[in-house]
Amino acid sequence: MKQDLLTFADWTPAAMQDLLELAVTIKQAPGAYNNVLAGKSVAAFFEKPSLRTRVSFDIGINKLGGHMVYLDSQSGNLVGREDANDMAANLACWADAIVARVFSHDTLVEFAKASKVPVINALCDKYHPCQAMADYLTLHEAFGQVKGLTLAYVGDGNNVTHSLLIAGALLGCNQVVITPAGHEVDPAIVAKAQSIAKATGVDIVQSHEVAAANGADVIYTDTWLSMGDDTPLATIKDKFMPYQVNEAMMSSTGAKYVMHCQPAHRDLEITSSLIDSDRSLLMQEAENRMHGQNAILTHLLGA
Ligand code: CP
Ligand code: NVA
């Protein structure tokens, strides 16, 4: 039976750990995997802009011996031309997998129902699982292991936060989520992460106080306004500025590293100097997008 990757929420801790280890192996010995997708094609459908996800999937699929077709819904006006389920069923006639970046998670659920080939979430309003995969690979490299670490996310509770929570709970990484009031994470997704965390011994803390990050190993942040949110920056900037990730926050919390999925907004959610400092894991995260996704593709399509 085909398997989709929409959230990781239905994965076991052992399966998630195996995937992380596969990503490490593929990164170390890519030549051993250069035929995994031989003769296979992946359709990549993007309703929103992308630099990292689009390019890392395209180049990564090529390195696995496969081929990617990019469907630019932004200029091609594909959305609304036909039902999402008809689009997915058609794509599955030719492609061996569908990668999709969409506004609504419901579109992915429809795609997955209608498609006979795996559907991979390349970001939606609720989740960004491929990002979380790359981020935990990065932490594994930085600290030697993920289990027992504490990641403090500071900023807007969003799709990236949700996937860090789910994947972190599976991999044994404690989670502290610090947001301004009114910008918390989705309670239903926290409840799911809590149920995984109970089994893996992970602590999940939510707070509005930056001090809750004291003792964390790493501070993670993301844009204050996600794609599709047209709230004017001026209306939220004052509320978010105390949550800016900067040198003072790194010192007061004692965190060793800083992470950000990018695109980053210099001197808003994170200081420019911190991005460019030796505490920054940002480019390693970006590089690991490809290795993490190649592990996902190998797992879903390789056999
Ligand atoms: N981090 C990330 O998904 O970047 P893009 O939006 O550029 O793909
Ligand atoms: N939260 C951001 C992530 C971008 C990779 C967004 O959805 O725009």
Side-chain angles (χ1 to χ4, degrees), residues 3 12 33 63 110 219:
Q3 186 188 356
T12 63
Y33 293 83
K63 285 189 193 294
E110 280 189 60
I219 306 279

Side-chain angles (χ1 to χ4, degrees), residues 11 16 37 39 44 56 59-60 62 78 90 93 118 139 143-144 150 156-157 167 191 197 226 230 253 267 278 281-282:
W11 281 46
M16 191 75 211
L37 296 189
S56 58
I59 293 179
N62 191 267
L78 289 170
N90 275 260
C93 292
L139 283 174
F143 290 95
T150 298
D156 181 41
S226 284
D230 38 20
T253 59
D267 298 318
D278 55 9
L281 294 177
L282 273 70

Side-chain angles (χ1 to χ4, degrees), residues 2-67:
K2 68 120 180 185
Q3 186 188 356
D4 304 299
L5 174 54
L6 302 194
T7 69
F8 281 131
D10 51 350
W11 281 46
T12 63
M16 191 75 211
Q17 186 63 36
D18 286 350
L19 187 69
L20 180 66
E21 282 163 24
L22 179 60
V24 172
T25 306
I26 293 177
K27 185 171 178 178
Q28 280 167 356
Y33 293 83
N34 61 12
N35 264 319
V36 167
L37 296 189
K40 294 192 172 163
S41 300
V42 177
F45 171 75
F46 280 68
E47 285 183 359
K48 300 181 186 181
S50 169
L51 175 75
R52 279 147 292 272
T53 309
R54 176 184 175 177
V55 177
S56 58
F57 264 112
D58 197 337
I59 293 179
I61 288 165
N62 191 267
K63 285 189 193 294
L64 294 177
H67 162 247

Side-chain angles (χ1 to χ4, degrees), residues 57-282:
F57 264 112
D58 197 337
I59 293 179
I61 288 165
N62 191 267
K63 285 189 193 294
L64 294 177
H67 162 247
M68 185 180 110
V69 179
Y70 177 68
L71 290 146
D72 180 2
S73 152
Q74 293 152 80
S75 57
N77 222 358
L78 289 170
V79 173
R81 225 172 134 246
E82 58 195 306
D83 287 359
N85 54 349
D86 290 330
M87 195 187 300
N90 275 260
L91 289 174
C93 292
W94 318 295
D96 299 283
I98 300 172
V99 167
R101 168 168 288 197
V102 296
F103 282 98
S104 166
H105 187 71
D106 295 345
T107 305
L108 288 171
V109 173
E110 280 189 60
F111 272 24
K113 260 193 221 144
S115 164
K116 61 181 189 242
V117 300
V119 174
I120 300 172
N121 183 353
L123 179 146
C124 65
D125 54 339
K126 297 279 188 203
Y127 302 98
H128 197 359
C130 296
Q131 182 67 50
M133 181 65 218
D135 294 334
Y136 287 110
L137 172 59
T138 305
L139 283 174
H140 172 86
E141 291 172 339
F143 290 95
Q145 64 167 39
V146 171
K147 197 173 169 53
L149 294 177
T150 298
L151 180 149
Y153 178 96
V154 183
D156 181 41
N158 64 19
N159 45 7
V160 169
T161 334
H162 293 152
S163 284
L164 287 170
L165 275 168
I166 299 279
L170 285 166
L171 290 169
C173 183
N174 300 307
Q175 306 283 314
V176 182
V177 180
I178 300 162
T179 66
H183 298 268
E184 294 85 0
V185 279
D186 182 329
I189 296 174
V190 180
K192 178 66 205 172
Q194 292 279 19
S195 74
I196 298 168
K198 214 186 265 178
T200 53
V202 158
D203 284 333
I204 297 178
V205 172
Q206 293 183 79
S207 178
H208 298 136
E209 305 298 326
V210 169
N214 290 355
D217 297 291
V218 59
I219 306 279
Y220 195 118
T221 191
D222 183 16
T223 181
W224 294 335
L225 292 167
S226 284
M227 288 181 278
D229 181 349
D230 38 20
T231 307
L233 176 63
T235 63
I236 55 134
K237 194 174 169 189
D238 288 350
K239 198 175 191 184
F240 273 89
M241 217 54 203
Y243 297 85
Q244 182 191 61
V245 178
N246 52 32
E247 281 78 355
M249 190 189 289
M250 296 302 286
S251 300
S252 66
T253 59
K256 189 166 181 196
Y257 292 116
V258 66
M259 299 177 80
H260 189 311
C261 57
Q262 304 185 75
H265 306 89
R266 288 175 180 259
D267 298 318
L268 288 173
E269 72 267 10
I270 182 168
T271 51
S272 189
S273 52
L274 200 49
I275 291 177
D276 299 327
S277 74
D278 55 9
R279 291 165 171 245
S280 167
L281 294 177
L282 273 70

Side-chain angles (χ1 to χ4, degrees), residues 282-293:
L282 273 70
M283 289 308 149
Q284 203 172 322
E285 294 175 78
E287 186 196 332
N288 283 337
R289 291 298 306 276
M290 186 181 79
H291 304 298
Q293 285 154 199

